[in-house]
Coordinates of all heavy atoms in Angstrom, one line a residue:
M197 N 0.8 -1.2 0.0 CA 0.0 0.0 0.0 C 0.9 1.3 0.0 O 0.4 2.3 -0.5 CB -0.9 0.0 1.2 CG -2.0 -1.1 1.1 SD -3.1 -1.0 -0.2 CE -4.4 -0.1 0.6
A198 N 2.1 1.2 0.5 CA 2.9 2.4 0.5 C 3.3 2.8 -0.9 O 3.5 4.0 -1.1 CB 4.2 2.1 1.4
I199 N 3.4 1.9 -1.8 CA 3.8 2.2 -3.2 C 2.6 2.9 -3.9 O 2.8 3.8 -4.7 CB 4.2 1.0 -3.9 CG1 5.5 0.4 -3.3 CG2 4.4 1.2 -5.4 CD1 5.9 -1.0 -3.9
S200 N 1.4 2.5 -3.6 CA 0.2 3.0 -4.3 C -0.9 3.3 -3.3 O -1.9 2.5 -3.2 CB -0.2 2.1 -5.4 OG -1.3 2.6 -6.1
P201 N -0.8 4.3 -2.4 CA -1.7 4.5 -1.4 C -3.2 4.8 -1.8 O -4.1 4.5 -1.1 CB -1.2 5.7 -0.6 CG -0.3 6.4 -1.6 CD 0.2 5.3 -2.5
G202 N -3.4 5.2 -3.0 CA -4.7 5.5 -3.5 C -5.4 4.2 -4.1 O -6.6 4.3 -4.6
T203 N -4.7 3.1 -4.1 CA -5.3 1.9 -4.7 C -6.3 1.2 -3.7 O -6.0 1.1 -2.6 CB -4.1 0.9 -5.1 OG1 -3.3 1.5 -6.0 CG2 -4.7 -0.4 -5.7
T204 N -7.4 0.8 -4.2 CA -8.4 0.1 -3.5 C -8.2 -1.4 -3.8 O -8.4 -1.8 -4.9 CB -9.8 0.5 -3.8 OG1 -9.9 1.9 -3.5 CG2 -10.8 -0.3 -3.0
L205 N -7.9 -2.2 -2.8 CA -7.8 -3.6 -3.0 C -9.2 -4.3 -2.7 O -9.9 -3.9 -1.7 CB -6.8 -4.2 -2.1 CG -5.3 -3.8 -2.3 CD1 -4.4 -4.4 -1.3 CD2 -4.9 -4.1 -3.7
I206 N -9.5 -5.2 -3.6 CA -10.8 -5.9 -3.4 C -10.5 -7.4 -3.5 O -9.9 -7.9 -4.5 CB -11.8 -5.6 -4.5 CG1 -12.1 -4.1 -4.4 CG2 -13.1 -6.4 -4.3 CD1 -12.9 -3.5 -5.6
L207 N -10.9 -8.2 -2.5 CA -10.7 -9.6 -2.5 C -12.1 -10.2 -3.0 O -13.1 -9.9 -2.4 CB -10.3 -10.2 -1.2 CG -9.0 -9.7 -0.7 CD1 -8.7 -10.3 0.7 CD2 -7.9 -10.1 -1.7
Q208 N -12.1 -11.0 -4.0 CA -13.3 -11.6 -4.5 C -13.4 -13.1 -4.2 O -12.5 -13.8 -4.2 CB -13.3 -11.4 -6.0 CG -14.5 -12.0 -6.7 CD -14.5 -11.8 -8.2 OE1 -14.0 -10.8 -8.7 NE2 -15.1 -12.7 -8.9
S209 N -14.7 -13.5 -4.0 CA -14.9 -14.9 -3.7 C -14.7 -15.7 -5.0 O -14.7 -15.2 -6.1 CB -16.4 -15.1 -3.2 OG -17.3 -14.7 -4.2
I210 N -14.4 -17.0 -4.7 CA -14.2 -17.9 -5.8 C -15.5 -18.3 -6.4 O -16.5 -18.5 -5.6 CB -13.4 -19.2 -5.3 CG1 -12.1 -18.8 -4.7 CG2 -13.2 -20.2 -6.5 CD1 -11.4 -19.9 -3.9
Y211 N -15.7 -18.4 -7.7 CA -16.9 -18.8 -8.3 C -17.3 -20.2 -7.9 O -16.4 -21.1 -7.9 CB -16.9 -18.7 -9.8 CG -16.7 -17.3 -10.4 CD1 -15.8 -17.2 -11.5 CD2 -17.3 -16.2 -9.9 CE1 -15.6 -15.9 -12.0 CE2 -17.1 -15.0 -10.4 CZ -16.2 -14.8 -11.5 OH -16.1 -13.6 -12.0
P212 N -18.6 -20.5 -7.8 CA -19.0 -21.9 -7.6 C -18.9 -22.6 -9.0 O -18.8 -22.0 -10.0 CB -20.4 -21.8 -7.1 CG -20.9 -20.5 -7.7 CD -19.7 -19.6 -7.7
I213 N -19.1 -23.9 -8.9 CA -19.1 -24.7 -10.2 C -20.4 -25.5 -10.3 O -21.1 -25.6 -9.4 CB -17.9 -25.7 -10.1 CG1 -17.9 -26.6 -8.9 CG2 -16.5 -25.0 -10.2 CD1 -16.8 -27.7 -8.8
T214 N -20.6 -26.0 -11.5 CA -21.7 -26.8 -11.8 C -21.3 -28.3 -12.0 O -20.1 -28.6 -12.0 CB -22.5 -26.4 -13.1 OG1 -21.6 -26.8 -14.2 CG2 -22.8 -24.9 -13.2
H215 N -22.2 -29.2 -12.1 CA -21.9 -30.6 -12.3 C -21.2 -30.8 -13.6 O -20.6 -31.9 -13.8 CB -23.2 -31.5 -12.3 CG -23.8 -31.6 -10.9 ND1 -23.2 -32.3 -9.9 CD2 -24.9 -31.0 -10.4 CE1 -23.9 -32.2 -8.8 NE2 -25.0 -31.4 -9.1
R216 N -21.3 -29.9 -14.5 CA -20.6 -30.0 -15.8 C -19.1 -29.8 -15.8 O -18.4 -30.2 -16.7 CB -21.2 -29.1 -16.8 CG -22.6 -29.4 -17.2 CD -23.1 -28.5 -18.3 NE -22.9 -27.1 -18.0 CZ -23.8 -26.1 -18.0 NH1 -25.0 -26.4 -18.3 NH2 -23.5 -24.9 -17.7
Y217 N -18.6 -29.2 -14.7 CA -17.2 -29.0 -14.6 C -16.4 -30.3 -14.6 O -16.8 -31.2 -13.8 CB -16.9 -28.2 -13.3 CG -15.4 -27.8 -13.1 CD1 -14.7 -27.3 -14.1 CD2 -14.8 -28.1 -12.0 CE1 -13.3 -27.0 -14.0 CE2 -13.4 -27.9 -11.8 CZ -12.7 -27.3 -12.8 OH -11.4 -27.0 -12.6
R218 N -15.4 -30.4 -15.4 CA -14.7 -31.7 -15.6 C -14.1 -32.2 -14.4 O -13.8 -33.4 -14.3 CB -13.7 -31.6 -16.8 CG -12.6 -30.7 -16.5 CD -11.6 -30.7 -17.6 NE -10.5 -29.8 -17.3 CZ -9.5 -29.5 -18.1 NH1 -9.5 -30.1 -19.3 NH2 -8.5 -28.7 -17.7
H219 N -13.8 -31.4 -13.4 CA -13.1 -31.9 -12.2 C -14.1 -31.9 -11.0 O -13.7 -32.0 -9.8 CB -11.9 -31.0 -11.8 CG -10.9 -31.1 -12.8 ND1 -10.1 -32.2 -13.1 CD2 -10.4 -30.1 -13.7 CE1 -9.2 -31.9 -14.0 NE2 -9.4 -30.7 -14.4
Y220 N -15.4 -31.8 -11.3 CA -16.5 -31.9 -10.3 C -16.3 -33.2 -9.5 O -16.2 -34.2 -10.1 CB -17.9 -31.8 -10.9 CG -18.9 -31.5 -9.9 CD1 -19.3 -30.3 -9.4 CD2 -19.6 -32.6 -9.3 CE1 -20.2 -30.1 -8.5 CE2 -20.6 -32.4 -8.3 CZ -20.9 -31.1 -7.9 OH -21.8 -30.9 -6.9
G221 N -16.3 -33.1 -8.2 CA -16.1 -34.2 -7.4 C -14.8 -34.1 -6.7 O -14.7 -34.2 -5.5
A222 N -13.7 -33.9 -7.5 CA -12.4 -33.7 -6.9 C -12.4 -32.3 -6.3 O -11.7 -32.0 -5.3 CB -11.3 -33.8 -8.0
I223 N -13.1 -31.4 -6.9 CA -13.4 -30.0 -6.4 C -14.9 -29.9 -6.2 O -15.6 -30.2 -7.1 CB -12.9 -29.0 -7.4 CG1 -11.4 -29.1 -7.6 CG2 -13.2 -27.6 -6.8 CD1 -10.8 -28.2 -8.7
T224 N -15.3 -29.5 -5.0 CA -16.7 -29.3 -4.7 C -17.0 -27.9 -4.3 O -16.1 -27.1 -3.9 CB -17.1 -30.3 -3.5 OG1 -16.4 -29.8 -2.3 CG2 -16.7 -31.7 -3.8
N225 N -18.3 -27.6 -4.3 CA -18.7 -26.3 -3.9 C -18.5 -26.1 -2.4 O -18.3 -25.0 -1.9 CB -20.1 -26.0 -4.3 CG -20.1 -25.7 -5.8 OD1 -19.4 -24.8 -6.3 ND2 -21.0 -26.4 -6.5
A226 N -18.5 -27.2 -1.6 CA -18.2 -27.1 -0.2 C -16.7 -26.7 0.0 O -16.4 -25.8 0.9 CB -18.4 -28.5 0.5
M227 N -15.8 -27.2 -0.8 CA -14.4 -26.8 -0.7 C -14.3 -25.3 -1.1 O -13.5 -24.6 -0.5 CB -13.6 -27.6 -1.7 CG -13.5 -29.1 -1.3 SD -12.9 -30.1 -2.7 CE -11.3 -30.4 -2.1
I228 N -15.0 -24.9 -2.1 CA -15.0 -23.5 -2.6 C -15.5 -22.6 -1.5 O -14.9 -21.5 -1.2 CB -15.7 -23.4 -3.9 CG1 -15.0 -24.1 -5.0 CG2 -15.9 -21.9 -4.3 CD1 -15.7 -24.2 -6.4
T229 N -16.6 -23.0 -0.9 CA -17.2 -22.2 0.2 C -16.2 -22.0 1.4 O -16.0 -21.0 1.9 CB -18.5 -22.8 0.7 OG1 -19.4 -22.8 -0.4 CG2 -19.1 -22.0 1.9
E230 N -15.5 -23.1 1.7 CA -14.5 -23.1 2.7 C -13.3 -22.1 2.3 O -12.9 -21.3 3.1 CB -13.9 -24.4 3.0 CG -12.9 -24.5 4.2 CD -12.4 -25.9 4.5 OE1 -12.9 -26.8 3.9 OE2 -11.4 -25.9 5.3
G231 N -12.9 -22.2 1.1 CA -11.9 -21.2 0.6 C -12.3 -19.8 0.7 O -11.6 -18.9 1.1
N232 N -13.6 -19.6 0.4 CA -14.2 -18.2 0.4 C -14.2 -17.7 1.8 O -14.1 -16.5 2.1 CB -15.5 -18.2 -0.3 CG -15.4 -18.2 -1.8 OD1 -14.4 -17.8 -2.3 ND2 -16.5 -18.7 -2.4
S233 N -14.4 -18.6 2.8 CA -14.4 -18.1 4.2 C -13.0 -17.7 4.6 O -12.9 -16.7 5.4 CB -15.0 -19.2 5.1 OG -14.0 -20.3 5.3
W234 N -12.0 -18.3 4.1 CA -10.6 -17.9 4.3 C -10.4 -16.5 3.7 O -9.8 -15.6 4.3 CB -9.6 -18.9 3.8 CG -9.7 -20.2 4.4 CD1 -10.2 -20.6 5.6 CD2 -9.1 -21.4 3.9 NE1 -10.0 -21.9 5.8 CE2 -9.4 -22.5 4.8 CE3 -8.5 -21.7 2.7 CZ2 -9.0 -23.8 4.5 CZ3 -8.1 -23.0 2.4 CH2 -8.3 -24.0 3.3
I235 N -10.9 -16.3 2.5 CA -10.7 -15.0 1.8 C -11.4 -13.9 2.5 O -10.9 -12.9 2.7 CB -11.2 -15.1 0.3 CG1 -10.3 -16.1 -0.5 CG2 -11.2 -13.8 -0.3 CD1 -10.9 -16.5 -1.8
L236 N -12.6 -14.2 3.0 CA -13.4 -13.2 3.8 C -12.6 -12.9 5.1 O -12.5 -11.7 5.4 CB -14.8 -13.7 4.1 CG -15.6 -12.8 5.0 CD1 -15.8 -11.5 4.3 CD2 -17.0 -13.5 5.2
K237 N -12.1 -13.8 5.8 CA -11.3 -13.6 7.0 C -10.1 -12.7 6.7 O -9.8 -11.8 7.5 CB -10.9 -14.9 7.7 CG -12.0 -15.6 8.4 CD -11.5 -16.9 8.9 CE -12.7 -17.7 9.5 NZ -12.3 -19.1 9.9
I238 N -9.4 -13.0 5.6 CA -8.3 -12.1 5.3 C -8.7 -10.7 4.9 O -8.1 -9.7 5.4 CB -7.5 -12.8 4.1 CG1 -6.8 -14.1 4.5 CG2 -6.5 -11.8 3.5 CD1 -6.3 -14.9 3.3
A239 N -9.8 -10.6 4.2 CA -10.4 -9.3 3.9 C -10.7 -8.5 5.2 O -10.4 -7.3 5.3 CB -11.6 -9.4 3.0
E240 N -11.3 -9.2 6.1 CA -11.7 -8.5 7.4 C -10.4 -8.1 8.2 O -10.4 -7.0 8.7 CB -12.6 -9.4 8.2 CG -14.0 -9.6 7.6 CD -14.8 -10.6 8.3 OE1 -14.2 -11.5 9.0 OE2 -16.0 -10.6 8.1
K241 N -9.5 -9.0 8.2 CA -8.3 -8.8 9.0 C -7.4 -7.6 8.4 O -6.8 -6.9 9.1 CB -7.4 -10.1 9.0 CG -6.2 -10.0 9.9 CD -5.5 -11.3 10.0 CE -4.2 -11.2 10.8 NZ -3.5 -12.5 11.0
T242 N -7.4 -7.5 7.1 CA -6.6 -6.5 6.4 C -7.4 -5.3 6.0 O -6.9 -4.4 5.4 CB -5.9 -7.1 5.2 OG1 -6.9 -7.6 4.3 CG2 -5.0 -8.2 5.5
H243 N -8.7 -5.3 6.3 CA -9.6 -4.1 6.0 C -9.7 -3.9 4.5 O -9.9 -2.8 4.1 CB -9.1 -2.8 6.7 CG -9.0 -3.0 8.2 ND1 -10.1 -3.1 9.0 CD2 -7.9 -3.1 9.0 CE1 -9.6 -3.3 10.3 NE2 -8.3 -3.3 10.3
C244 N -9.7 -5.0 3.8 CA -9.9 -5.0 2.3 C -11.4 -5.1 2.1 O -12.1 -5.7 2.9 CB -9.2 -6.1 1.6 SG -7.4 -5.9 1.4
K245 N -11.9 -4.7 1.0 CA -13.2 -4.9 0.6 C -13.3 -6.3 0.1 O -12.4 -6.9 -0.4 CB -13.7 -3.9 -0.5 CG -13.7 -2.5 0.0 CD -14.2 -1.6 -1.1 CE -14.0 -0.2 -0.6 NZ -15.2 0.5 -0.5
Y246 N -14.5 -6.9 0.3 CA -14.8 -8.3 -0.1 C -15.9 -8.3 -1.1 O -17.0 -7.8 -0.8 CB -15.1 -9.2 1.1 CG -15.5 -10.6 0.7 CD1 -14.5 -11.5 0.4 CD2 -16.8 -11.1 0.8 CE1 -14.8 -12.8 0.0 CE2 -17.1 -12.4 0.5 CZ -16.1 -13.3 0.2 OH -16.4 -14.6 -0.1
L247 N -15.7 -8.9 -2.3 CA -16.7 -8.9 -3.3 C -17.3 -10.3 -3.3 O -16.7 -11.3 -3.7 CB -16.2 -8.6 -4.7 CG -17.1 -8.7 -5.9 CD1 -18.3 -7.7 -5.7 CD2 -16.3 -8.4 -7.2
D248 N -18.6 -10.5 -2.8 CA -19.2 -11.7 -2.7 C -20.0 -12.1 -3.9 O -21.1 -11.7 -4.1 CB -20.2 -11.7 -1.5 CG -21.0 -13.0 -1.3 OD1 -20.6 -14.0 -1.9 OD2 -21.9 -12.9 -0.5
T249 N -19.3 -12.8 -4.8 CA -19.9 -13.2 -6.1 C -20.6 -14.6 -5.9 O -21.5 -14.9 -6.7 CB -18.9 -13.3 -7.2 OG1 -17.8 -14.1 -6.9 CG2 -18.5 -11.9 -7.6
I250 N -20.2 -15.4 -5.0 CA -20.7 -16.8 -4.9 C -22.2 -16.8 -4.5 O -22.9 -17.6 -5.1 CB -19.8 -17.7 -4.0 CG1 -20.3 -19.1 -4.1 CG2 -19.9 -17.2 -2.5 CD1 -19.3 -20.1 -3.4
S251 N -22.6 -15.9 -3.7 CA -24.0 -16.0 -3.2 C -25.0 -15.7 -4.3 O -26.1 -16.3 -4.2 CB -24.2 -15.1 -2.0 OG -24.0 -13.7 -2.4
V252 N -24.6 -14.9 -5.2 CA -25.6 -14.7 -6.3 C -25.5 -15.7 -7.4 O -26.5 -15.8 -8.2 CB -25.4 -13.3 -7.0 CG1 -25.7 -12.2 -5.9 CG2 -24.0 -13.1 -7.6
L253 N -24.5 -16.5 -7.4 CA -24.3 -17.6 -8.4 C -24.8 -18.9 -8.0 O -25.0 -19.8 -8.8 CB -22.9 -17.7 -8.9 CG -22.3 -16.4 -9.6 CD1 -20.8 -16.6 -9.8 CD2 -23.0 -16.2 -10.9
L254 N -25.1 -19.1 -6.7 CA -25.5 -20.4 -6.2 C -27.0 -20.7 -6.4 O -27.8 -19.7 -6.1 CB -25.2 -20.6 -4.7 CG -23.7 -20.8 -4.4 CD1 -23.5 -20.9 -2.9 CD2 -23.2 -22.1 -5.0
N255 N -27.4 -21.9 -6.7 CA -28.8 -22.3 -6.6 C -29.1 -22.9 -5.3 O -28.3 -23.0 -4.4 CB -29.1 -23.2 -7.8 CG -28.4 -24.6 -7.7 OD1 -27.9 -25.0 -6.7 ND2 -28.2 -25.2 -8.8
D256 N -30.4 -23.3 -5.1 CA -30.8 -23.9 -3.8 C -30.1 -25.2 -3.5 O -30.1 -25.5 -2.3 CB -32.3 -24.1 -3.9 CG -33.1 -22.8 -3.9 OD1 -32.6 -21.7 -3.5 OD2 -34.3 -22.8 -4.4
E257 N -29.6 -25.9 -4.4 CA -28.9 -27.1 -4.2 C -27.4 -26.9 -3.8 O -26.7 -27.9 -3.5 CB -28.9 -28.1 -5.4 CG -30.3 -28.7 -5.6 CD -31.2 -27.7 -6.3 OE1 -30.8 -27.0 -7.3 OE2 -32.4 -27.6 -6.0
G258 N -26.9 -25.7 -3.8 CA -25.5 -25.4 -3.5 C -24.6 -25.5 -4.6 O -23.4 -25.5 -4.4
N259 N -25.1 -25.5 -5.9 CA -24.2 -25.5 -7.1 C -24.4 -24.2 -7.8 O -25.4 -23.5 -7.6 CB -24.6 -26.7 -8.0 CG -24.2 -28.0 -7.3 OD1 -23.1 -28.2 -6.9 ND2 -25.2 -28.9 -7.3
A260 N -23.5 -23.9 -8.7 CA -23.7 -22.7 -9.6 C -24.9 -22.9 -10.4 O -25.3 -24.0 -10.9 CB -22.5 -22.6 -10.5
K261 N -25.6 -21.8 -10.6 CA -26.8 -21.8 -11.5 C -26.4 -22.0 -12.9 O -25.6 -21.3 -13.5 CB -27.6 -20.5 -11.4 CG -28.1 -20.2 -10.0 CD -28.7 -18.8 -9.9 CE -29.2 -18.5 -8.5 NZ -29.7 -17.1 -8.4
D262 N -26.9 -23.1 -13.5 CA -26.5 -23.4 -14.9 C -26.7 -22.3 -15.9 O -25.9 -22.1 -16.7 CB -27.3 -24.7 -15.4 CG -26.9 -26.0 -14.7 OD1 -25.7 -26.1 -14.5 OD2 -27.7 -26.8 -14.5
E263 N -27.8 -21.5 -15.7 CA -28.1 -20.5 -16.6 C -27.1 -19.3 -16.6 O -27.1 -18.4 -17.5 CB -29.5 -20.0 -16.5 CG -29.8 -19.3 -15.2 CD -30.2 -20.2 -14.0 OE1 -30.1 -21.4 -14.1 OE2 -30.7 -19.7 -13.0
L264 N -26.3 -19.2 -15.5 CA -25.4 -18.2 -15.3 C -23.9 -18.6 -15.7 O -23.0 -17.7 -15.7 CB -25.4 -17.6 -13.9 CG -26.7 -17.0 -13.4 CD1 -26.6 -16.6 -12.0 CD2 -27.1 -15.9 -14.3
M265 N -23.8 -19.9 -16.0 CA -22.4 -20.4 -16.2 C -22.2 -20.8 -17.7 O -23.2 -21.3 -18.3 CB -22.1 -21.5 -15.3 CG -22.3 -21.2 -13.8 SD -21.3 -19.8 -13.2 CE -19.7 -20.6 -13.0
R266 N -21.0 -20.8 -18.1 CA -20.7 -21.3 -19.4 C -20.8 -22.9 -19.4 O -20.9 -23.5 -18.4 CB -19.3 -20.9 -19.9 CG -19.1 -19.4 -20.1 CD -17.7 -19.1 -20.7 NE -17.6 -17.7 -20.9 CZ -17.8 -17.1 -22.0 NH1 -18.1 -17.8 -23.1 NH2 -17.7 -15.8 -22.1
K267 N -20.7 -23.5 -20.6 CA -20.9 -24.9 -20.7 C -19.7 -25.7 -20.0 O -19.9 -26.8 -19.7 CB -20.9 -25.3 -22.2 CG -22.2 -24.9 -22.8 CD -22.3 -25.3 -24.3 CE -23.5 -24.8 -24.9 NZ -23.7 -25.2 -26.3
D268 N -18.6 -25.0 -19.7 CA -17.5 -25.7 -19.0 C -17.8 -25.9 -17.5 O -17.1 -26.6 -16.8 CB -16.2 -25.0 -19.2 CG -16.1 -23.6 -18.5 OD1 -17.1 -23.2 -17.9 OD2 -15.1 -22.9 -18.7
G269 N -18.9 -25.3 -17.0 CA -19.3 -25.4 -15.6 C -18.4 -24.7 -14.6 O -18.6 -24.8 -13.4
L270 N -17.5 -23.9 -15.1 CA -16.6 -23.2 -14.3 C -16.7 -21.7 -14.4 O -16.6 -21.0 -13.4 CB -15.1 -23.6 -14.6 CG -14.0 -23.0 -13.9 CD1 -14.0 -23.2 -12.4 CD2 -12.7 -23.4 -14.5
H271 N -16.8 -21.2 -15.6 CA -16.8 -19.7 -15.8 C -18.2 -19.1 -16.0 O -19.0 -19.7 -16.7 CB -15.9 -19.4 -17.1 CG -14.5 -19.8 -16.9 ND1 -14.0 -21.0 -17.4 CD2 -13.5 -19.2 -16.3 CE1 -12.7 -21.1 -17.1 NE2 -12.4 -20.0 -16.4
P272 N -18.4 -18.0 -15.4 CA -19.7 -17.3 -15.6 C -19.8 -16.9 -17.1 O -18.8 -16.6 -17.8 CB -19.6 -16.0 -14.8 CG -18.5 -16.3 -13.8 CD -17.6 -17.2 -14.5
N273 N -21.1 -16.9 -17.6 CA -21.3 -16.5 -19.0 C -21.3 -15.0 -19.1 O -21.2 -14.2 -18.1 CB -22.6 -17.1 -19.5 CG -23.8 -16.7 -18.8 OD1 -23.9 -15.6 -18.2 ND2 -24.8 -17.5 -18.8
D274 N -21.5 -14.5 -20.3 CA -21.5 -13.0 -20.5 C -22.7 -12.4 -19.8 O -22.7 -11.3 -19.3 CB -21.7 -12.7 -22.0 CG -20.4 -13.2 -22.7 OD1 -19.4 -13.3 -22.1 OD2 -20.5 -13.3 -24.0

């Protein structure tokens, strides 16, 4: 921060995945949620802003909403 004191740092949550993701099972949304809790704790500890993208991308079953994700099951669509 000393180098660029006017810079705003934002820590963003990791996107959830759908069942279509090729590594689904080895990586789960429960693991992603746990990782996001670590990111949130770091944001709180360092007074960074936290961008919560996972909560708007999750469906009621705890997976990424298919209609919001690309066919790879990992990346959000346009």
Side-chain angles (χ1 to χ4, degrees):
M197 294 295 267
I199 294 172
S200 183
T203 302
T204 300
L205 297 177
I206 301 171
L207 297 180
Q208 178 179 330
S209 62
I210 303 165
Y211 296 139
I213 55 177
T214 71
H215 290 288
R216 293 187 308 236
Y217 181 52
R218 67 180 181 181
H219 298 292
Y220 190 86
I223 299 172
T224 66
N225 285 308
M227 297 165 102
I228 292 170
T229 298
E230 184 177 352
N232 284 335
S233 70
W234 297 340
I235 294 170
L236 177 58
K237 286 178 188 175
I238 292 168
E240 291 171 342
K241 184 176 180 178
T242 60
H243 305 287
C244 285
K245 294 181 186 243
Y246 177 74
L247 180 59
D248 178 12
T249 53
I250 191 169
S251 64
V252 297
L253 296 173
L254 283 177
N255 63 22
D256 292 339
E257 289 80 39
N259 292 308
K261 296 175 184 175
D262 286 324
E263 66 272 14
L264 299 179
M265 306 300 282
R266 292 186 182 265
K267 290 182 182 179
D268 67 2
L270 177 63
H271 297 96
N273 63 25
D274 295 337

